[in-house]
Amino acid sequence: MNRTGLLNKLWEFQNKFGYISENAIAQIAQKLNVSKIEIEGIVSFYHFLHRKPTGKYIIYLNNSIVSEFKGFEQIKAAFEKETGCTFGCYDENQLFTLFETSCIGLSDQEPAALINFFPFTNLTPEKVKTIIQQLKNGNSLRFISSNPTSKIQYIPADNKTVFYRKYEMGTALKKLKNHTPDDILNIISVANLEGRGGAFFPTAKKWKSCKEMESSKKYIICNADEGEPGTFKDKSLLNNLPGLMIEGMIISAYISGAAYGFIYLRAEYSYLLEKIENTLREFQANNLLGNDILGIPKFNFNIQVQLGAGAYVCGEESALIESLEGNRGEARIKKHFPTEYGYLGHSTIVNNVETFAMAARIIELGTNFISTIGTPESKGTKVLSISGDVAKPGIYEIEWGMTVKEILHLCQATSPHFVQISGPSGICINEIEFDRKICKEDLICAGSIMVFNNFRSITKILENYTKFFKEESCGICTPCRAGNQILHEKIKKIKKGICTAQDLEEIKEWGQIMKLTSRCGLGQFSANTLVMALDKFEGYFNQKIIKANESLNVEFDMEAAVCNYDSLIKDTQ
Amino acid sequence: MKNISFKIDGRICTAEKGLNLIEAAKQNGIFIPTLCHFKHLNPLGTCRVCTVKLNGKAVAGCTIHVADGMDIEVNTPELLDTRKAILEMMFVEGNHFCPSCEKSGDCSMQNLGYETGIKYTRFPHLFIDRITDARPERIVVNQNRCIKCKRCIEEVKTFDGYNVFCSINKGNKTMVAIDYEQEAKLSELQAVHAMQICPTGSILVKGKSFSKPFGDRQFDVVTEEKTLPLSALKKSRITNKKKIVATTSLSGCFGCHMSMLDIDLGILDLFEVVEFNKSPITDIKNFSKHCDIGLIEGGCCNTHNIEVLREFRKNCDILISVGECAIWGGLPAMRNTFPLEECLKESYLDSMTSEENETIIPNHEEIPKILNKVYPNHEIVKIDHHIPGCPPDANHIWNVVKNILFQEEFSIAHPKYKYD
Ligand SMILES: Cc1cc2nc3c(=O)[nH]c(=O)nc-3n(C[C@H](O)[C@H](O)[C@H](O)COP(=O)(O)O)c2cc1C
Ligand code: SF4
Ligand code: SF4
Ligand code: SF4
Ligand code: FES
């Protein structure tokens, strides 16, 4: 066994014994010739790996903001009542162990939970009762679990659909036969494809850089870690069009000369593993993967799926690479692009699921076709996952350039007020901005739109985000690790109603410090929405703050400050 | 290697191509603060206290290798403040009780606090309960002080090449843990090396930690501070009216007051220009006049402290927090990482001398209520100035007071800063 196989090895123990024991750690450490604490460090980084025994069924209930608004608390209480367990506790219960988890990519069907990674959606307390009863009776998870498929609610008319059109395996790949890698790269470049994972980096530039690197080995990584709360568009692509994404990977391998590929699949999507692996096998059987692909001499490429283990930051490309290498998923310093120094130091292309799928469609359909769709700078279509206070949550493939208003209309949003674009790391918009267009020229969107109506507490939304970042920071750099904790303290102050205009000013200043100094995107963007919301929802916050105090006393909640003492005295009398 | 030229804050600098920016800047006489950066290690880039701008974009300075034509900003007001803020974050994230810390005076982090001029932190202290692990053979790891810089992880290995330290958990729970088995293999020399490379007092070697007396420590700056000559002040500023000063000790040890008296005969000089109102020094219990300046020792640990502090705010034009307890809670705030219940039970009900069922937690409507934690004064009322130190030196205190009262500007040089 070598280091790169570590994550799989840990999964083996986790699946077999329900936890990773002292003994297991010692065994692995010995095999790898490293100290035990190093293994401990990796196990404790991922929240699906446990160091204490768990029950036969591990229940992960999603605590994202959409879930919170759709009844998270009742469902949590129902699970505790029915199982007799407490969330977050390793107790004696042989059957159940309960944990909260961040977004599991089922925002259109919240509240949702994973039980041994089988999905259970649209939960109600009654449903929870039935599920637990069924499990106690020994029913099989496979039969009682829900269908996690997200409904495709909208596709562009007039043959403008790019993704959700008919797919036939190998159509795009056939074109490789009579085009050189340079030709293919040129097509991607002309189509102006930009990464769909959030950073919108020009894909052709990335692939070209890898192509030109003198690296003894090159790797292609498909980033299927989709952890941004409220995002489930990659899940839908993986579920409906796994082949398309794989073709995209093969195309990038053709261009760059890489011989190995990984699909880094988040563990939350374990239920898609079988499908993806079957598709890979089909590709192999059809000579679309393996050696001399399509009969092109020396065009060898193989893909392997790596399951994540629960860490949002592993979606960040350098953290993902660290995780693949069997290390803690800590983001690297930004000295090199992965194409310069990637997996095991080799040139590596990391792209999002949708980016690969889009690349395949571009090759299949041609740039002439693609460029008739979208806006001058954003060509083609975009897959969006829409959730929240809408009547029709689900997947929307839209032509770039559609306005927020049109989208809200399509998904039948009810009195939308606070709309989150691209997840908590993205930006929030208010009603004035609903005329903005989703495209590079105006409002760029990575794939998630969460709609909140005007009955939803903005403070709750922001607190949920901040807690998420606070827990999901990789913890390696000060501003992100400490900053998010500090911001959470400020939000608590808003909640308590003892917040002043100065507190809000400070949130903005401190957010700026985090943005400037954090090592990776997580810390850089974690205060974004919070800071933005203060301006965009000024009226709301003006009502929350306490006006300046003449006597120079700072707002202080005396009652809260003595409540511990009061209750203690009462109890001990 | 060939020399290249680059710019720092508009100044042309030269250095060997590819040299680490921190070194390159140093060679050109420019100081960039660092904590995780360590001579031969690959850039760790964890602490971010070296943040500079490269061609307009913020980056960790220690991760830059200089190249021809680079345009680097180091000492802009924004960057100076940003770096200070990062350090402040470290102070509030951990529990840094410098007066009781073995590394005090030899601590790089503390020294950077002085260098960057931190008098108080803009952020609220988090007061998270963190463990001190004395189980290892030679080493004690005090998590209250660890800034997760990773130096020890990269640098400390056993003879047979095993890591001794490693980060565990993630997010706000991240900490740097020690491997007992590997630690036991360390020689004393290796253990001492670990203690020395730690930029804070997180790694200590048993029996080796109090090696140097005050004054001889690495960052002790011995500058005798002179009292400001009053004659000069008198001529230019002083009107016939004496300035009125009040002082009080809230949740403190009276050490700051002792320090105030420490100017010996200087106090007579002082009496020429100021008059004391409410103060333990005069034993005046209630304000009889509005005061120009109020000096507060100690933070707020009970409701009475808060009342007194608010009264001071009402009766004084300028309020100064004197000493660490006033500034952020100081030593009394050591209890802040424990629930109040535990503290009170431990001291009144379960202590060695309390008989079962014989003792109670003191309470009466006449005695103040204990707050759930110790609060710094600036979280209760507006504080105009902070004088760090535990206690601050006498001359230091009075110089600040005199400066504030009689001159428009006041500044104290950073080497005068002390957190212990
Ligand atoms: C905290 C963080 C989380 C991320 N999560 C994801 C993710 O789940 N999926 C993804 O494709 N990209 C994610 N990214 C972006 C990747 O770092 C990277 O830019 C992307 O995978 C590149 O692919 P693209 O160019 O095709 O977008 C994340 C970035 C950050 C900073
Ligand atoms: S910004 Fe956050 S997630 Fe990124 S490296 Fe720093 S601590 Fe890790
Ligand atoms: S001396 Fe250094 S490590 Fe010790 S408490 Fe002070 S700042 Fe922290
Ligand atoms: S123990 Fe010291 S050297 Fe190690 S990470 Fe903490 S502060 Fe850095
Ligand atoms: S010294 Fe540069 S990040 Fe720590």
Side-chain angles (χ1 to χ4, degrees):
Chain A
M1 174 193 161
N2 51 24
R3 188 69 182 246
T4 52
L6 178 58
L7 206 49
N8 285 337
K9 192 83 199 163
L10 293 171
W11 266 121
E12 243 172 65
F13 279 103
Q14 175 63 42
N15 290 336
K16 200 157 160 197
F17 304 104
Y19 77 117
I20 294 157
S21 65
E22 202 56 48
N23 212 335
I25 292 214
Q27 253 184 57
I28 295 173
Q30 199 186 11
K31 272 202 196 131
L32 291 178
N33 274 323
V34 298
S35 50
K36 285 190 282 186
I37 199 74
E38 231 180 299
I39 306 298
E40 182 92 47
I42 290 154
V43 173
S44 60
F45 190 85
Y46 299 101
H47 59 254
F48 295 138
L49 301 179
H50 301 282
R51 283 287 281 114
K52 290 190 188 140
T54 52
K56 183 171 170 201
Y57 300 106
I58 308 182
I59 301 177
Y60 295 104
L61 177 62
N62 173 23
N63 63 12
S64 74
I65 185 64
V66 176
S67 167
E68 197 176 321
F69 285 147
K70 305 257 157 158
F72 166 79
E73 282 302 333
Q74 285 118 283
I75 304 304
K76 182 175 169 182
F79 270 119
E80 292 193 333
K81 177 164 166 257
E82 302 304 330
T83 60
C85 304
T86 313
F87 269 84
C89 288
Y90 296 91
D91 43 30
E92 301 289 278
N93 198 308
Q94 300 286 317
L95 218 47
F96 300 104
T97 316
L98 314 178
F99 298 101
E100 289 182 26
T101 192
S102 52
C103 186
I104 53 179
L106 291 164
S107 307
D108 53 339
Q109 303 162 65
E110 293 295 348
L114 297 171
I115 305 183
N116 291 359
F117 295 103
F118 283 92
F120 288 82
T121 63
N122 294 316
L123 295 171
T124 58
E126 298 73 47
K127 242 181 165 172
V128 168
K129 191 172 174 185
T130 321
I131 293 166
I132 298 300
Q133 204 47 54
Q134 284 171 323
L135 291 178
K136 282 182 180 163
N137 295 342
N139 289 23
S140 147
L141 276 168
R142 191 173 289 273
F143 293 119
I144 63 169
S145 63
S146 323
N147 180 356
T149 305
S150 292
K151 191 160 177 209
I152 297 163
Q153 300 278 18
Y154 174 82
I155 54 171
D158 311 329
N159 189 29
K160 279 186 169 179
T161 305
V162 173
F163 292 96
Y164 295 104
R165 58 162 57 218
K166 196 161 161 276
Y167 166 74
E168 244 177 276
M169 185 172 68
T171 320
L173 292 181
K174 264 185 232 143
K175 309 238 163 150
L176 300 186
K177 276 209 272 195
N178 35 27
H179 286 91
T180 64
D182 280 318
D183 292 344
I184 300 290
L185 181 63
N186 194 39
I187 298 173
I188 301 293
S189 171
V190 169
N192 211 0
L193 176 59
E194 290 180 328
R196 301 287 172 93
F200 295 92
F201 189 84
T203 306
K205 198 170 161 194
K206 189 184 283 187
W207 292 5
K208 184 162 181 261
S209 155
C210 180
K211 177 179 163 57
E212 287 169 356
M213 281 300 292
E214 306 263 344
S215 188
S216 59
K217 284 183 183 160
K218 293 179 182 177
Y219 295 92
I220 308 291
I221 297 174
C222 173
N223 186 344
D225 198 47
E226 195 169 51
E228 190 67 38
T231 320
F232 47 94
K233 51 117 188 160
D234 290 345
K235 179 196 73 179
S236 158
L237 288 170
L238 290 163
N239 194 10
N240 293 295
L241 296 159
L244 192 63
M245 169 199 80
I246 292 166
E247 291 196 32
M249 291 179 73
I250 298 169
I251 291 166
S252 73
Y254 181 65
I255 292 174
S256 62
Y260 304 94
F262 293 98
I263 299 171
Y264 190 93
L265 182 70
R266 69 192 305 229
E268 288 87 339
Y269 295 166
S270 298
Y271 47 75
L272 296 175
L273 185 61
E274 208 177 293
K275 188 175 223 165
I276 296 170
E277 286 187 330
N278 284 342
T279 316
L280 288 174
R281 268 190 287 276
E282 249 181 90
F283 269 68
Q284 255 150 5
N286 285 285
N287 189 220
L288 299 173
L289 277 176
N291 292 344
D292 299 334
I293 293 171
L294 292 155
I296 302 171
K298 292 211 198 122
F299 180 22
N300 308 336
F301 186 60
N302 280 299
I303 298 177
Q304 166 191 338
V305 185
Q306 172 67 56
L307 215 50
Y312 162 66
V313 68
C314 288
E316 199 280 337
E317 53 192 11
S318 66
L320 188 156
I321 291 172
E322 286 289 321
S323 172
L324 265 182
E325 289 180 359
N327 300 326
R328 287 165 60 81
E330 292 167 344
R332 292 178 174 174
I333 54 172
K334 295 283 163 296
K335 209 164 147 217
H336 303 286
F337 283 118
T339 48
E340 296 160 344
Y341 189 93
Y343 181 64
L344 302 175
H346 300 295
S347 179
T348 304
I349 289 173
V350 185
N351 276 118
N352 174 257
V353 174
E354 189 185 341
T355 314
F356 282 122
M358 185 68 192
R361 284 296 196 209
I362 291 172
I363 299 302
E364 175 189 337
L365 304 169
T367 46
N368 283 346
F369 174 76
I370 297 288
S371 58
T372 59
I373 312 169
T375 66
E377 291 196 36
S378 302
K379 299 269 199 308
T381 62
K382 177 80 189 90
V383 185
L384 299 179
S385 31
I386 300 184
S387 61
D389 296 316
V390 298
K392 293 169 75 183
I395 295 294
Y396 290 72
E397 178 178 344
I398 62 145
E399 182 175 355
W400 284 114
M402 195 182 250
T403 64
V404 176
K405 202 175 251 161
E406 287 169 281
I407 293 172
L408 291 173
H409 182 74
L410 284 178
C411 64
Q412 296 174 15
T414 42
S415 41
H417 182 58
F418 183 111
V419 176
Q420 188 71 35
I421 307 287
S422 308
S425 313
I427 68 169
C428 61
I429 60 170
N430 59 22
E431 281 157 54
I432 302 166
E433 297 172 275
F434 288 175
D435 282 324
R436 293 183 69 178
K437 293 190 173 106
I438 301 286
C439 59
K440 192 173 175 193
E441 294 92 327
D442 190 1
L443 182 62
I444 197 73
C445 175
S448 146
I449 295 185
M450 291 191 279
V451 182
F452 303 106
N453 67 29
N454 51 14
F455 303 107
R456 304 300 191 192
S457 152
I458 293 177
T459 314
K460 258 195 192 163
I461 299 175
L462 298 174
E463 184 179 26
N464 183 289
Y465 293 174
T466 306
K467 264 164 82 177
F468 167 75
F469 290 123
K470 165 174 139 178
E471 286 162 14
E472 291 298 333
S473 149
C474 83
I476 202 177
C477 76
T478 314
C480 168
R481 186 187 63 237
N484 280 306
Q485 295 178 67
I486 292 166
L487 287 183
H488 192 206
E489 293 304 308
K490 278 280 189 219
I491 295 179
K492 284 187 199 159
K493 228 171 154 184
I494 301 178
K495 257 171 68 185
K496 271 192 194 158
I498 53 164
C499 177
T500 61
Q502 194 193 338
D503 283 308
L504 301 188
E505 254 342 283
E506 283 175 352
I507 291 181
K508 291 186 202 168
E509 283 166 24
W510 302 355
Q512 178 60 20
I513 292 169
M514 290 163 64
K515 185 169 197 160
L516 214 55
T517 55
S518 288
R519 170 166 161 147
C520 85
L522 194 152
Q524 283 159 10
F525 299 117
S526 57
N528 231 16
T529 300
L530 176 58
V531 169
M532 228 174 236
L534 296 183
D535 284 332
K536 296 194 175 177
F537 298 90
E538 206 182 349
Y540 171 86
F541 286 101
N542 275 341
Q543 287 184 341
K544 289 265 158 196
I545 57 175
I546 293 180
K547 295 285 172 286
N549 185 317
E550 305 249 308
S551 54
L552 296 180
N553 288 338
V554 175
E555 279 318 315
F556 183 77
D557 188 348
M558 186 84 115
E559 225 165 272
V562 296
C563 74
N564 290 356
Y565 180 79
D566 281 343
S567 69
L568 181 61
I569 296 303
K570 221 165 83 207
D571 292 348
T572 53
Q573 290 306 292
Chain B
M1 267 280 193
K2 87 175 207 282
N3 270 358
I4 47 103
S5 82
F6 57 101
K7 270 199 284 188
I8 296 185
D9 295 330
R11 215 183 89 196
I12 309 276
C13 300
T14 54
E16 202 174 272
K17 182 173 184 247
L19 192 65
N20 188 295
L21 174 66
I22 307 297
E23 311 300 330
K26 203 171 170 188
Q27 288 177 4
N28 287 276
I30 294 161
F31 168 74
I32 302 173
T34 58
L35 279 176
C36 66
H37 178 63
F38 192 55
K39 41 186 191 209
H40 56 267
L41 293 181
N42 282 329
L44 296 169
T46 55
C47 76
R48 318 306 283 179
V49 81
C50 62
T51 300
V52 298
K53 280 193 180 172
L54 168 61
N55 303 331
K57 216 172 150 270
V59 258
C62 67
T63 63
I64 300 176
H65 293 273
V66 289
D68 219 6
M70 279 183 166
D71 184 9
I72 293 159
E73 292 164 61
V74 175
N75 288 320
T76 63
E78 183 197 24
L79 287 169
L80 285 167
D81 185 63
T82 302
R83 291 193 295 259
K84 187 174 172 191
I86 298 291
L87 261 171
E88 289 175 27
M89 280 188 189
M90 293 176 190
F91 275 103
V92 306
E93 191 195 18
N95 299 304
H96 294 268
F97 299 102
C98 293
S100 70
C101 177
E102 293 84 344
K103 191 91 170 215
S104 194
D106 284 320
C107 170
S108 308
M109 169 175 166
Q110 185 189 53
N111 185 49
L112 271 195
Y114 302 154
E115 292 280 349
T116 52
I118 299 177
K119 284 184 278 182
Y120 74 105
T121 59
R122 69 194 79 183
F123 310 112
H125 279 260
L126 296 175
F127 292 120
I128 292 160
D129 187 15
R130 299 178 194 279
I131 58 160
T132 300
D133 190 353
R135 278 171 294 185
E137 225 31 51
R138 295 183 191 277
I139 286 177
V140 178
V141 183
N142 189 330
Q143 296 291 350
N144 293 299
R145 304 167 185 162
C146 173
I147 55 166
K148 291 109 190 153
C149 73
K150 292 191 127 191
R151 270 190 183 185
C152 57
I153 300 178
E154 296 296 323
E155 174 75 6
V156 182
K157 313 250 171 190
T158 60
F159 282 120
D160 47 353
Y162 286 88
N163 273 0
V164 178
F165 296 89
C166 187
S167 305
I168 59 166
N169 306 331
K170 69 165 177 253
N172 54 324
K173 303 236 165 66
T174 309
M175 60 180 206
V176 173
I178 190 165
D179 191 302
Y180 301 137
E181 194 184 313
Q182 305 303 336
E183 190 269 347
K185 293 195 218 156
L186 292 182
S187 69
E188 176 147 315
L189 221 60
Q190 285 174 315
V192 170
H193 179 60
M195 173 165 75
Q196 282 164 350
I197 62 154
C198 175
T200 71
S202 175
I203 300 177
L204 299 172
V205 177
K206 293 175 186 171
K208 287 269 168 197
S209 44
F210 282 108
S211 48
K212 288 185 236 156
F214 272 58
D216 291 349
R217 305 171 306 179
Q218 193 181 344
F219 300 115
D220 283 335
V221 186
V222 266
T223 44
E224 260 314 307
E225 192 167 14
K226 292 275 181 304
T227 46
L228 280 183
L230 266 179
S231 46
L233 287 180
K234 269 187 198 157
K235 262 187 233 134
S236 62
R237 299 274 166 200
I238 301 172
T239 54
N240 297 334
K241 216 168 140 253
K242 281 188 181 180
K243 299 283 184 179
I244 308 167
V245 176
T247 76
T248 188
S249 172
L250 304 175
S251 176
C253 68
F254 261 89
C256 291
H257 271 80
M258 290 302 181
S259 193
M260 289 178 206
L261 294 177
D262 237 11
I263 42 169
D264 304 326
L265 291 178
I267 199 128
L268 298 177
D269 237 8
L270 197 68
F271 281 147
E272 279 189 36
V273 289
V274 304
E275 166 192 335
F276 283 84
N277 197 263
K278 179 178 159 77
S279 166
I281 299 173
T282 54
D283 213 20
I284 299 176
K285 301 275 193 262
N286 294 308
F287 281 102
S288 57
K289 285 185 193 165
H290 191 80
C291 299
D292 294 294
I293 210 163
L295 301 178
I296 317 285
E297 163 191 333
C300 292
C301 122
N302 61 38
T303 48
H304 181 250
N305 294 154
I306 292 186
E307 284 159 24
V308 174
L309 184 58
R310 285 182 171 162
E311 204 194 332
F312 262 73
R313 184 67 269 182
K314 230 187 281 163
N315 287 289
C316 305
D317 286 340
I318 295 169
L319 271 196
I320 307 182
S321 273
V322 180
E324 295 300 309
C325 302
I327 291 172
W328 67 278
L331 294 189
M334 279 189 158
R335 79 158 161 99
N336 285 8
T337 60
F338 305 101
L340 178 68
E341 181 171 352
E342 241 173 72
C343 299
L344 290 179
K345 282 193 170 156
E346 179 67 30
S347 30
Y348 292 106
L349 307 182
D350 309 329
S351 81
M352 300 255 265
T353 51
S354 54
E355 309 248 327
E356 209 168 321
N357 296 328
E358 291 291 302
T359 49
I360 59 157
I361 293 170
N363 68 93
H364 187 272
E365 56 192 44
E366 302 262 306
I367 59 173
K369 291 180 183 178
I370 308 284
L371 305 178
N372 53 1
K373 63 172 199 178
V374 180
Y375 291 87
N377 293 336
H378 70 263
E379 283 187 24
I380 312 286
V381 301
K382 179 172 178 286
I383 297 288
D384 303 292
H385 295 285
H386 298 84
I387 306 179
C390 188
D393 170 87
N395 286 328
H396 186 162
I397 300 175
W398 294 118
N399 280 344
V400 172
V401 170
K402 282 186 269 182
N403 272 294
I404 292 171
L405 287 178
F406 304 117
Q407 298 183 325
E408 287 89 2
E409 297 235 341
F410 99 101
S411 71
I412 34 170
H414 299 156
K416 311 273 156 53
Y417 281 26
K418 282 284 164 278
Y419 304 148
D420 65 355

